[in-house]
Each structure stands twice: as C-alpha cells, then as structure tokens.
Amino acid sequence: MNTFAMLLGPPLLAALLAAAVKPYRRFVGWTNALLSLLSLGAAVVLWRHILAGDVLTSGPLEFLRADALSTLLALCVSVVGALAAWLGPGMGGDDGYDGAQARRFRIFANLFTLMMLFAVVSNNVGFMWIAIEATTITSAMLIPLHVTKASVEASWKYILIGSVGIALAFGGTVLGYFDFVNLAGRQEGALNWTVLMASAPHLHPQVIQLAFVFILIGYGTKAGLAPMHTWLPDAHSEAPAPLSAMMSGVLLAVALYAVIRWKFVVNAAVGTGFTDDLFTAMGLLSLAIGAFSLVIQRNYKRMLAYSSIEHTGLICVGLALGPLGMFAAMLHLLNHALAKSTIFFLAGRVLHRYRTTEISGVSGLLTAMPWTGGLFAAGVLAVIGLPPFGLFISEFALFRAGFAAGRPWLMGLVLALLAVAFVSMIGHLNRMLYGAPAAGVTVGEGSAWPLVPLGLCVAALVVLGLTLPAPLRVLLTRIVEIAGS
C-alpha cells in the first residue's frame, strides 16, 4: 500500500465510519483507535526512508512529499492523534460524554488529524494553506463539545482571529506566488516548495520580505505567537481534553511548520538576517507574555495554554540561532508535543474528578489520584525544563546555540523569562498536589488503563532526557541540512 495512503487514509475512514453510524456505537471508537495505529506506522515508514537517504513522493508533480521536516511533523501528529483516538470520548465507561458528543468528536477529531497530516506532507503551498484553514473549522466544531456560553464564545473567538490570520497568510502566499510568476512566468508546479526553493535566489528581495511578514503574522496567529495569541488560552481551556492535547501538542507545531518552510525560501532569497530578527523579536515577546501570564493564572488549563505560548516563543528564538539553534528548536518541538499533549490528557482526568478548572479548587491531587497526580507533576516538571526530561536537553542545546552564535545577552534574557515561568508553575503545581482533597472528591484512580499510554509518554520524555537516539539525531540533522541548502 502507498505510504501516503496509509498515513492519510485511516483518519478519513474513521471520520466516515463515525458519520455513517448513527446513533453512535462503541465499536466506532475502537475501530478509530486501531486505525490510528496505521497512520502511526506510516509515519515510521517515512522516517525509515529519511534514514535511508530517500525523500518519498507521490502523485503528479510530487503532489505529496515527505522530507525530514515533514516526517518529524507527521510523527508528532500521528502520535498525538493516536493518543486522542485511544483516550477520547466513546471508548466506554463514564467519560462524561453522551453518544452524540462522542460521535461528533470522532468525526471532527479525525478530520482535524487528517488536515494536519495533509498540511505537512503537501508539497504545494496553496493546498497546505487550505489544509491549515480546514484545521480551524474542524477543531472549532469540537471546542463547544460541552455547550456552554464560555465554550461557544471561545470557539467563535478562535474562528474569527484564526480566520484573520489565515487571510493574512493567504495574502503573503499570493505575493510570493506573483513574485515567482514575474520571474519565471506561469508554469506547472509553481506553488511547490521544491520549485520555490530552487527559484528563491532570484526572487525580488523586497517583495519576498513583505510576503514573509504577512505569512509570519498569519500563520503565527495560528501558532499562538504574541501578540496574536489571544484566542489560544480561551480555546484550550474550554476545549475537551483530547482536543486541547491535539491543539497544544501539534496544531501550534503545524502552523509553525508553515512559517519554517517559508523561512527557508526567504533565507535563500535574502539571507538569514531578516527572518532571524523577526523570529527573535516575536519569540521573545511570546516568551515574555507567556511567562508573566503564568504568574497570575488561576485556571490550570489556561496555565498550560500560556505555557504553550512560552514554548512556541522559545522555539522561534531557537530558529534564529543558526544550524545549532535549528537542531535544538526541532528537538524542542518534538519534546513539547509529547509533554504538553500528555499533560492536557491528565488535566482532563483531573477536571473529570474535581469538576473544576480552578487551581484553588484542586487540592490533594496526590492523595485523590496518586498516579494521575504523579504523572501530572512529572509532566509539569518536564515542561519547566527540569532534568531528566527531554525538554531540559533541548533547552540546554538552545542555550549552547545562543552562546555559540555570540548572543549572550539574548540568552540571559531568555533564561530570566524561563525562571519566571519556572517559579510560577512550581507554585501552582504545589497548590494542586498537596493538602486534603476537597469535600466530595472521590479518592482512587477509577479507570486506570488510560494512564498506561500517558505513562509511556512520560517514560519517552525521560529517555529523550538521557540520550538522543541515533535515528532521531539523523532526522534532526537532515532538517538542518534542508535549512542550509
């Protein structure tokens, strides 16, 4: 079977099955979960091709193409998509969702996964833009899965701000396309990344710089970069836990993927200075807003959302630090996808038990839910950059890249902002873990099997904190080579 069909087909089939079976039946969820493993397997096959030095393509004019960067994102999306399929509503037991809600989740969560996967393997910037726009529609349908005034408002806010951003990205894409057409005339494959990269040294510098500003603001809105981040805390806090995990873990990364692709084109056209300055400025602003917003948080899901803004900013800073920074940023993207999706799933268990998202309403978590509390604590310690977790290594690599690039003041500022985030999140975590459970809160884990995959994710973060497996090092190195080609 074609690898791309195995990657994209399962979420489409799962969505169609959920749409066809009404009322919802539990076998739909289990079929979805099993199909998700096929996508994960396809992503691993793509990885094997990268290790062998191949870039897999399919379709006319290489319509689908998976180089090292696409493969890294496909791996992240398929892992988090599989977690959402196995741990999402409709698998049985008391998960807090009725049949209609479970059916809606299975339809739109799979379409959401499909669009993210298609965005990262599409070789055409136009189809990539359409796919990222489609992620807004499919995910917005799930934010008010539990219909409340706050969730509906959050969904509309997300749609409105996200649509403005994606419209700006469209403007930037059109500018880039017309610049190419003026240079080379109309030809097939003009919107392909490979064609744009080959033509980049001849593009008009001012036009492509203006196009990149539109693209950075446009896709940056979707990636949660400040100051266009305002939709993110509302959407992530109101969405069901599996959707929050997908949005925070991989949607932000997919939007950032689009910016990185265009960064490669612009760098080839005008050098690295222009994009590096923009990435540094927006990265620092996002890092600062994320870190200081953590200080005043009273809601643990919003706390995790602002942490995502902080980490997106950190990745942007890394992208501006040359080859070593690119390597560190991609490693950080992988670690963050794994850690943040895990914590959001655990936050869903906490919400189901305590019936509140307020930090002050959650106490004695280690007593009420020892395993959930322990894994939640491990996840938070991971995202604040403590050893032995992978984010410690990626942040260390990022600082090494900063000092190697001769930017000690920038690294000092980043370190200070990370310290603010560190202290804030440790304080919030302590308030949740210790003390006596609130009155009426049941003590005991309840359904424990969902903790197995989440425990494996935490274990994977520990492994990435202790060693960098050779296949992963090769994958990240190939991405750095694309940036420098």
Side-chain angles (χ1 to χ4, degrees):
M1 179 186 282
N2 182 292
T3 305
F4 289 105
M6 199 167 78
L7 181 73
L8 303 173
L12 178 60
L13 289 175
L16 292 174
L17 178 64
V21 178
K22 186 180 181 181
Y24 180 81
R25 294 286 184 266
R26 193 181 301 176
F27 80 86
V28 174
W30 283 100
T31 305
N32 181 184
L34 293 172
L35 284 172
S36 70
L37 299 180
L38 286 178
S39 287
L40 182 56
V44 173
V45 171
L46 293 179
W47 191 1
R48 290 183 60 186
H49 278 277
I50 296 299
L51 296 179
D54 300 331
V55 174
L56 205 60
T57 62
S58 181
L61 299 173
E62 297 186 346
F63 181 67
L64 298 175
R65 185 173 186 273
D67 61 9
L69 181 57
S70 298
T71 300
L72 176 67
L73 270 294
L75 278 168
C76 292
V77 173
S78 56
V79 167
V80 178
L83 286 172
W86 282 91
L87 304 179
M91 298 293 284
D94 177 23
D95 58 12
Y97 298 94
D98 60 29
Q101 290 170 323
R103 179 170 176 267
R104 181 146 61 104
F105 177 84
R106 295 291 164 180
I107 294 172
F108 289 103
N110 279 295
L111 292 176
F112 183 37
T113 302
L114 172 64
M115 290 299 105
M116 288 192 287
L117 288 171
F118 181 65
V120 300
V121 298
S122 173
N123 192 26
N124 183 292
V125 297
F127 282 101
M128 183 199 69
W129 179 88
I130 293 170
I132 293 180
E133 169 65 10
T135 63
T136 304
I137 299 166
T138 50
S139 54
M141 297 296 292
L142 292 177
I143 292 174
L145 198 58
H146 284 300
V147 178
T148 63
K149 182 183 177 185
S151 65
V152 172
E153 285 181 356
S155 181
W156 277 110
K157 186 176 182 180
Y158 169 49
I159 291 172
L160 291 173
I161 297 177
S163 297
V164 171
I166 210 72
L168 290 172
F170 178 74
T173 303
V174 170
L175 267 177
Y177 170 71
F178 279 116
D179 191 25
F180 173 83
V181 169
N182 284 334
L183 169 74
R186 294 183 184 278
Q187 60 176 274
E188 290 186 331
L191 286 173
N192 282 6
W193 288 119
T194 43
V195 177
L196 282 173
M197 280 295 291
S199 307
H202 308 293
L203 294 176
H204 193 281
Q206 283 74 31
V207 175
I208 199 66
Q209 284 175 331
L210 179 61
F212 186 72
V213 171
F214 277 98
I215 286 165
L216 179 58
I217 295 173
Y219 287 126
T221 301
K222 191 88 175 186
L225 284 175
M228 301 84 68
H229 66 285
T230 53
W231 64 271
L232 192 151
D234 293 338
H236 288 209
S237 62
E238 294 300 329
L243 180 63
S244 299
M246 295 171 77
M247 294 176 81
S248 194
V250 286
L251 175 62
L252 307 185
V254 169
L256 207 53
Y257 161 87
V259 181
I260 294 169
R261 282 288 184 197
W262 276 104
K263 173 179 163 62
F264 294 165
V265 174
V266 177
N267 285 353
V270 300
T272 60
F274 177 73
T275 58
D276 285 352
D277 289 345
L278 287 175
F279 270 79
T280 301
M282 295 194 72
L284 274 180
L285 182 61
S286 302
L287 193 51
I289 287 179
F292 286 111
S293 297
L294 286 171
V295 177
I296 59 173
Q297 286 313 303
R298 300 291 180 266
N299 178 312
Y300 56 86
K301 289 191 75 177
R302 291 180 73 87
M303 173 186 77
L304 298 179
Y306 277 108
S307 169
S308 295
I309 295 170
E310 171 215 345
H311 282 280
T312 302
L314 195 58
I315 291 169
C316 285
V317 171
L319 292 171
L321 296 175
L324 289 177
M326 173 64 72
F327 188 96
M330 293 298 97
L331 181 58
H332 200 73
L333 184 149
L334 170 65
N335 282 321
H336 179 258
L338 201 54
K340 194 55 64 66
S341 55
T342 301
I343 307 177
F344 265 114
F345 280 115
L346 291 163
R349 290 177 63 86
V350 174
L351 173 60
H352 187 60
R353 176 63 58 86
Y354 283 81
R355 305 291 178 185
T356 180
T357 55
E358 294 296 314
I359 293 172
S360 60
V362 179
S363 60
L365 183 56
L366 283 176
T367 302
M369 306 174 77
W371 285 101
T372 299
L375 290 174
F376 186 81
V380 172
L381 295 178
V383 296
I384 61 177
L386 279 181
F389 301 104
L391 284 98
F392 170 77
I393 296 300
S394 53
E395 290 183 5
F396 180 82
L398 193 145
F399 279 100
R400 177 169 169 262
F403 285 109
R407 308 185 75 173
W409 289 105
L410 173 63
M411 291 300 98
L413 185 54
V414 169
L415 187 59
L417 292 171
L418 288 182
V420 172
F422 178 93
V423 173
S424 302
M425 291 192 72
I426 282 288
H428 298 320
L429 178 64
N430 281 337
R431 280 187 282 279
M432 294 175 69
L433 292 182
Y434 301 111
V441 172
T442 307
V443 174
E445 285 293 346
S447 176
W449 77 263
L451 293 173
V452 174
L454 299 178
L456 290 174
C457 290
V458 173
L461 286 168
V462 173
V463 170
L464 290 173
L466 298 176
T467 182
L468 187 61
L472 180 57
R473 183 184 299 112
V474 172
L475 179 66
L476 300 178
T477 302
R478 296 276 159 77
I479 296 174
V480 175
E481 290 170 358
I482 297 171
S485 62

PDB file of all heavy atoms in Angstrom, residues 16 26 29 46 62 83 90 110 136 154 166 237 246 262 268 293 316 318 335 341-342 373 407 423 429 449 459 484:
ATOM      1  N   LEU A  16     -15.466   8.910   8.329  1.00  0.00           N
ATOM      2  CA  LEU A  16     -16.618   8.456   7.542  1.00  0.00           C
ATOM      3  C   LEU A  16     -17.427   7.407   8.308  1.00  0.00           C
ATOM      4  O   LEU A  16     -18.669   7.413   8.276  1.00  0.00           O
ATOM      5  CB  LEU A  16     -16.136   7.885   6.205  1.00  0.00           C
ATOM      6  CG  LEU A  16     -15.534   8.900   5.222  1.00  0.00           C
ATOM      7  CD1 LEU A  16     -14.960   8.197   3.997  1.00  0.00           C
ATOM      8  CD2 LEU A  16     -16.590   9.922   4.800  1.00  0.00           C
ATOM      9  N   ARG A  26     -20.034   1.914  20.302  1.00  0.00           N
ATOM     10  CA  ARG A  26     -18.677   1.889  20.857  1.00  0.00           C
ATOM     11  C   ARG A  26     -17.642   1.321  19.875  1.00  0.00           C
ATOM     12  O   ARG A  26     -16.481   1.706  19.896  1.00  0.00           O
ATOM     13  CB  ARG A  26     -18.670   1.060  22.146  1.00  0.00           C
ATOM     14  CG  ARG A  26     -17.400   1.216  22.973  1.00  0.00           C
ATOM     15  CD  ARG A  26     -17.445   0.357  24.213  1.00  0.00           C
ATOM     16  NE  ARG A  26     -18.589   0.702  25.072  1.00  0.00           N
ATOM     17  CZ  ARG A  26     -18.893   0.050  26.183  1.00  0.00           C
ATOM     18  NH1 ARG A  26     -18.169  -0.975  26.558  1.00  0.00           N
ATOM     19  NH2 ARG A  26     -19.927   0.429  26.906  1.00  0.00           N
ATOM     20  N   GLY A  29     -15.439   3.844  18.067  1.00  0.00           N
ATOM     21  CA  GLY A  29     -14.268   4.358  18.775  1.00  0.00           C
ATOM     22  C   GLY A  29     -13.105   3.396  18.735  1.00  0.00           C
ATOM     23  O   GLY A  29     -11.951   3.779  18.488  1.00  0.00           O
ATOM     24  N   LEU A  46       7.912   6.542   6.806  1.00  0.00           N
ATOM     25  CA  LEU A  46       8.515   7.772   6.259  1.00  0.00           C
ATOM     26  C   LEU A  46       9.863   8.041   6.925  1.00  0.00           C
ATOM     27  O   LEU A  46      10.834   8.452   6.266  1.00  0.00           O
ATOM     28  CB  LEU A  46       7.568   8.964   6.480  1.00  0.00           C
ATOM     29  CG  LEU A  46       6.244   8.958   5.718  1.00  0.00           C
ATOM     30  CD1 LEU A  46       5.425  10.200   6.085  1.00  0.00           C
ATOM     31  CD2 LEU A  46       6.482   8.937   4.211  1.00  0.00           C
ATOM     32  N   GLU A  62       4.966  15.598  -7.868  1.00  0.00           N
ATOM     33  CA  GLU A  62       5.307  15.366  -6.455  1.00  0.00           C
ATOM     34  C   GLU A  62       4.311  16.083  -5.548  1.00  0.00           C
ATOM     35  O   GLU A  62       4.681  16.839  -4.662  1.00  0.00           O
ATOM     36  CB  GLU A  62       6.735  15.844  -6.161  1.00  0.00           C
ATOM     37  CG  GLU A  62       7.800  15.103  -6.930  1.00  0.00           C
ATOM     38  CD  GLU A  62       9.203  15.506  -6.516  1.00  0.00           C
ATOM     39  OE1 GLU A  62       9.338  16.526  -5.833  1.00  0.00           O
ATOM     40  OE2 GLU A  62      10.155  14.797  -6.882  1.00  0.00           O
ATOM     41  N   LEU A  83      -3.102   9.022  20.388  1.00  0.00           N
ATOM     42  CA  LEU A  83      -3.473   9.191  21.803  1.00  0.00           C
ATOM     43  C   LEU A  83      -4.911   9.688  21.926  1.00  0.00           C
ATOM     44  O   LEU A  83      -5.685   9.218  22.767  1.00  0.00           O
ATOM     45  CB  LEU A  83      -2.519  10.186  22.485  1.00  0.00           C
ATOM     46  CG  LEU A  83      -1.105   9.681  22.805  1.00  0.00           C
ATOM     47  CD1 LEU A  83      -0.244  10.846  23.302  1.00  0.00           C
ATOM     48  CD2 LEU A  83      -1.153   8.584  23.862  1.00  0.00           C
ATOM     49  N   GLY A  90     -16.085   8.044  23.943  1.00  0.00           N
ATOM     50  CA  GLY A  90     -16.737   6.992  23.178  1.00  0.00           C
ATOM     51  C   GLY A  90     -16.058   5.649  23.211  1.00  0.00           C
ATOM     52  O   GLY A  90     -16.369   4.773  22.408  1.00  0.00           O
ATOM     53  N   ASN A 110     -10.999  13.298  13.761  1.00  0.00           N
ATOM     54  CA  ASN A 110     -10.293  12.591  12.681  1.00  0.00           C
ATOM     55  C   ASN A 110     -10.059  13.494  11.476  1.00  0.00           C
ATOM     56  O   ASN A 110      -8.999  13.436  10.847  1.00  0.00           O
ATOM     57  CB  ASN A 110     -11.077  11.339  12.285  1.00  0.00           C
ATOM     58  CG  ASN A 110     -10.808  10.192  13.237  1.00  0.00           C
ATOM     59  OD1 ASN A 110      -9.695   9.692  13.331  1.00  0.00           O
ATOM     60  ND2 ASN A 110     -11.828   9.790  13.986  1.00  0.00           N
ATOM     61  N   THR A 136      -8.829  24.893  11.292  1.00  0.00           N
ATOM     62  CA  THR A 136      -9.591  25.837  12.123  1.00  0.00           C
ATOM     63  C   THR A 136     -11.045  25.396  12.209  1.00  0.00           C
ATOM     64  O   THR A 136     -11.639  25.355  13.298  1.00  0.00           O
ATOM     65  CB  THR A 136      -9.522  27.255  11.518  1.00  0.00           C
ATOM     66  OG1 THR A 136      -8.161  27.633  11.362  1.00  0.00           O
ATOM     67  CG2 THR A 136     -10.234  28.263  12.405  1.00  0.00           C
ATOM     68  N   ALA A 154     -15.541  31.018  23.088  1.00  0.00           N
ATOM     69  CA  ALA A 154     -14.147  30.673  22.783  1.00  0.00           C
ATOM     70  C   ALA A 154     -14.024  30.151  21.355  1.00  0.00           C
ATOM     71  O   ALA A 154     -13.060  30.461  20.646  1.00  0.00           O
ATOM     72  CB  ALA A 154     -13.643  29.626  23.774  1.00  0.00           C
ATOM     73  N   ILE A 166      -5.287  33.546   8.944  1.00  0.00           N
ATOM     74  CA  ILE A 166      -5.113  32.713   7.759  1.00  0.00           C
ATOM     75  C   ILE A 166      -5.312  33.545   6.488  1.00  0.00           C
ATOM     76  O   ILE A 166      -4.709  33.257   5.454  1.00  0.00           O
ATOM     77  CB  ILE A 166      -6.080  31.507   7.813  1.00  0.00           C
ATOM     78  CG1 ILE A 166      -5.472  30.314   7.076  1.00  0.00           C
ATOM     79  CG2 ILE A 166      -7.439  31.826   7.298  1.00  0.00           C
ATOM     80  CD1 ILE A 166      -4.340  29.646   7.773  1.00  0.00           C
ATOM     81  N   SER A 237      -8.647  26.218  27.103  1.00  0.00           N
ATOM     82  CA  SER A 237      -9.254  25.976  28.416  1.00  0.00           C
ATOM     83  C   SER A 237     -10.683  25.465  28.299  1.00  0.00           C
ATOM     84  O   SER A 237     -11.171  24.768  29.182  1.00  0.00           O
ATOM     85  CB  SER A 237      -9.217  27.258  29.260  1.00  0.00           C
ATOM     86  OG  SER A 237      -9.965  28.287  28.638  1.00  0.00           O
ATOM     87  N   MET A 246      -4.428  17.929  21.317  1.00  0.00           N
ATOM     88  CA  MET A 246      -4.077  17.992  19.889  1.00  0.00           C
ATOM     89  C   MET A 246      -3.713  19.416  19.472  1.00  0.00           C
ATOM     90  O   MET A 246      -2.761  19.633  18.716  1.00  0.00           O
ATOM     91  CB  MET A 246      -5.253  17.496  19.050  1.00  0.00           C
ATOM     92  CG  MET A 246      -5.572  16.024  19.265  1.00  0.00           C
ATOM     93  SD  MET A 246      -7.116  15.517  18.457  1.00  0.00           S
ATOM     94  CE  MET A 246      -6.582  15.405  16.764  1.00  0.00           C
ATOM     95  N   TRP A 262       8.509  28.692   4.803  1.00  0.00           N
ATOM     96  CA  TRP A 262       8.706  29.971   4.116  1.00  0.00           C
ATOM     97  C   TRP A 262      10.013  30.639   4.550  1.00  0.00           C
ATOM     98  O   TRP A 262      10.641  31.358   3.781  1.00  0.00           O
ATOM     99  CB  TRP A 262       7.512  30.888   4.381  1.00  0.00           C
ATOM    100  CG  TRP A 262       6.365  30.620   3.449  1.00  0.00           C
ATOM    101  CD1 TRP A 262       5.207  29.964   3.735  1.00  0.00           C
ATOM    102  CD2 TRP A 262       6.282  30.993   2.062  1.00  0.00           C
ATOM    103  NE1 TRP A 262       4.405  29.904   2.618  1.00  0.00           N
ATOM    104  CE2 TRP A 262       5.034  30.520   1.578  1.00  0.00           C
ATOM    105  CE3 TRP A 262       7.120  31.663   1.190  1.00  0.00           C
ATOM    106  CZ2 TRP A 262       4.613  30.719   0.263  1.00  0.00           C
ATOM    107  CZ3 TRP A 262       6.711  31.848  -0.128  1.00  0.00           C
ATOM    108  CH2 TRP A 262       5.480  31.387  -0.574  1.00  0.00           C
ATOM    109  N   ALA A 268      16.935  31.753   1.512  1.00  0.00           N
ATOM    110  CA  ALA A 268      17.635  31.509   0.252  1.00  0.00           C
ATOM    111  C   ALA A 268      17.606  32.736  -0.655  1.00  0.00           C
ATOM    112  O   ALA A 268      18.484  32.917  -1.501  1.00  0.00           O
ATOM    113  CB  ALA A 268      17.001  30.310  -0.473  1.00  0.00           C
ATOM    114  N   SER A 293       2.246  35.833  32.149  1.00  0.00           N
ATOM    115  CA  SER A 293       0.837  35.436  32.287  1.00  0.00           C
ATOM    116  C   SER A 293       0.709  34.230  33.207  1.00  0.00           C
ATOM    117  O   SER A 293      -0.336  34.056  33.865  1.00  0.00           O
ATOM    118  CB  SER A 293       0.244  35.107  30.918  1.00  0.00           C
ATOM    119  OG  SER A 293       0.239  36.247  30.084  1.00  0.00           O
ATOM    120  N   CYS A 316      10.864  29.675  18.464  1.00  0.00           N
ATOM    121  CA  CYS A 316      11.178  30.738  17.495  1.00  0.00           C
ATOM    122  C   CYS A 316      12.556  31.333  17.751  1.00  0.00           C
ATOM    123  O   CYS A 316      13.305  31.612  16.806  1.00  0.00           O
ATOM    124  CB  CYS A 316      10.112  31.834  17.561  1.00  0.00           C
ATOM    125  SG  CYS A 316       8.572  31.346  16.770  1.00  0.00           S
ATOM    126  N   GLY A 318      15.053  29.781  19.041  1.00  0.00           N
ATOM    127  CA  GLY A 318      16.000  28.779  18.571  1.00  0.00           C
ATOM    128  C   GLY A 318      16.171  28.800  17.055  1.00  0.00           C
ATOM    129  O   GLY A 318      17.282  28.641  16.551  1.00  0.00           O
ATOM    130  N   ASN A 335       9.794  17.392  21.817  1.00  0.00           N
ATOM    131  CA  ASN A 335       9.608  17.208  23.262  1.00  0.00           C
ATOM    132  C   ASN A 335       8.337  17.889  23.751  1.00  0.00           C
ATOM    133  O   ASN A 335       7.584  17.345  24.574  1.00  0.00           O
ATOM    134  CB  ASN A 335      10.812  17.788  24.013  1.00  0.00           C
ATOM    135  CG  ASN A 335      12.016  16.870  23.974  1.00  0.00           C
ATOM    136  OD1 ASN A 335      11.876  15.653  24.079  1.00  0.00           O
ATOM    137  ND2 ASN A 335      13.201  17.431  23.816  1.00  0.00           N
ATOM    138  N   SER A 341       0.852  17.430  25.221  1.00  0.00           N
ATOM    139  CA  SER A 341      -0.340  16.618  24.976  1.00  0.00           C
ATOM    140  C   SER A 341      -0.596  15.684  26.156  1.00  0.00           C
ATOM    141  O   SER A 341      -1.745  15.488  26.567  1.00  0.00           O
ATOM    142  CB  SER A 341      -0.186  15.820  23.674  1.00  0.00           C
ATOM    143  OG  SER A 341       0.990  15.052  23.693  1.00  0.00           O
ATOM    144  N   THR A 342       0.469  15.121  26.727  1.00  0.00           N
ATOM    145  CA  THR A 342       0.312  14.245  27.896  1.00  0.00           C
ATOM    146  C   THR A 342      -0.333  14.990  29.054  1.00  0.00           C
ATOM    147  O   THR A 342      -1.271  14.488  29.707  1.00  0.00           O
ATOM    148  CB  THR A 342       1.681  13.689  28.326  1.00  0.00           C
ATOM    149  OG1 THR A 342       2.259  12.970  27.238  1.00  0.00           O
ATOM    150  CG2 THR A 342       1.544  12.774  29.521  1.00  0.00           C
ATOM    151  N   GLY A 373      -1.852  12.239  39.604  1.00  0.00           N
ATOM    152  CA  GLY A 373      -1.124  13.364  40.191  1.00  0.00           C
ATOM    153  C   GLY A 373       0.372  13.255  39.959  1.00  0.00           C
ATOM    154  O   GLY A 373       1.042  14.248  39.642  1.00  0.00           O
ATOM    155  N   ARG A 407      25.481  35.501  21.224  1.00  0.00           N
ATOM    156  CA  ARG A 407      24.353  36.300  21.690  1.00  0.00           C
ATOM    157  C   ARG A 407      24.094  36.050  23.181  1.00  0.00           C
ATOM    158  O   ARG A 407      23.006  35.582  23.580  1.00  0.00           O
ATOM    159  CB  ARG A 407      23.112  35.979  20.856  1.00  0.00           C
ATOM    160  CG  ARG A 407      23.391  36.103  19.353  1.00  0.00           C
ATOM    161  CD  ARG A 407      22.180  35.910  18.514  1.00  0.00           C
ATOM    162  NE  ARG A 407      21.311  37.079  18.572  1.00  0.00           N
ATOM    163  CZ  ARG A 407      20.236  37.219  17.812  1.00  0.00           C
ATOM    164  NH1 ARG A 407      19.914  36.287  16.954  1.00  0.00           N
ATOM    165  NH2 ARG A 407      19.486  38.291  17.920  1.00  0.00           N
ATOM    166  N   VAL A 423       9.201  29.389  38.317  1.00  0.00           N
ATOM    167  CA  VAL A 423       8.710  29.668  39.677  1.00  0.00           C
ATOM    168  C   VAL A 423       7.177  29.666  39.705  1.00  0.00           C
ATOM    169  O   VAL A 423       6.550  29.135  40.631  1.00  0.00           O
ATOM    170  CB  VAL A 423       9.270  31.029  40.171  1.00  0.00           C
ATOM    171  CG1 VAL A 423       8.639  31.420  41.506  1.00  0.00           C
ATOM    172  CG2 VAL A 423      10.785  30.956  40.297  1.00  0.00           C
ATOM    173  N   LEU A 429       1.654  24.182  40.815  1.00  0.00           N
ATOM    174  CA  LEU A 429       1.662  22.720  40.941  1.00  0.00           C
ATOM    175  C   LEU A 429       1.597  22.296  42.408  1.00  0.00           C
ATOM    176  O   LEU A 429       0.844  21.389  42.768  1.00  0.00           O
ATOM    177  CB  LEU A 429       2.928  22.158  40.288  1.00  0.00           C
ATOM    178  CG  LEU A 429       3.114  20.633  40.375  1.00  0.00           C
ATOM    179  CD1 LEU A 429       2.005  19.912  39.617  1.00  0.00           C
ATOM    180  CD2 LEU A 429       4.481  20.225  39.831  1.00  0.00           C
ATOM    181  N   TRP A 449      -6.460   2.235  32.939  1.00  0.00           N
ATOM    182  CA  TRP A 449      -5.724   1.858  31.725  1.00  0.00           C
ATOM    183  C   TRP A 449      -5.290   3.068  30.885  1.00  0.00           C
ATOM    184  O   TRP A 449      -4.226   3.001  30.240  1.00  0.00           O
ATOM    185  CB  TRP A 449      -6.539   0.869  30.887  1.00  0.00           C
ATOM    186  CG  TRP A 449      -7.663   1.456  30.087  1.00  0.00           C
ATOM    187  CD1 TRP A 449      -8.972   1.500  30.433  1.00  0.00           C
ATOM    188  CD2 TRP A 449      -7.566   2.086  28.806  1.00  0.00           C
ATOM    189  NE1 TRP A 449      -9.706   2.129  29.466  1.00  0.00           N
ATOM    190  CE2 TRP A 449      -8.869   2.483  28.446  1.00  0.00           C
ATOM    191  CE3 TRP A 449      -6.518   2.345  27.931  1.00  0.00           C
ATOM    192  CZ2 TRP A 449      -9.140   3.148  27.260  1.00  0.00           C
ATOM    193  CZ3 TRP A 449      -6.786   3.003  26.736  1.00  0.00           C
ATOM    194  CH2 TRP A 449      -8.086   3.388  26.413  1.00  0.00           C
ATOM    195  N   ALA A 459       7.726   8.293  30.096  1.00  0.00           N
ATOM    196  CA  ALA A 459       8.959   7.488  30.001  1.00  0.00           C
ATOM    197  C   ALA A 459       9.768   7.893  28.766  1.00  0.00           C
ATOM    198  O   ALA A 459      11.011   7.970  28.825  1.00  0.00           O
ATOM    199  CB  ALA A 459       8.598   6.006  29.943  1.00  0.00           C
ATOM    200  N   GLY A 484      19.922  24.655   5.419  1.00  0.00           N
ATOM    201  CA  GLY A 484      21.145  25.217   4.881  1.00  0.00           C
ATOM    202  C   GLY A 484      21.328  25.015   3.397  1.00  0.00           C
ATOM    203  O   GLY A 484      22.321  25.475   2.813  1.00  0.00           O
TER     204      GLY A 484
END
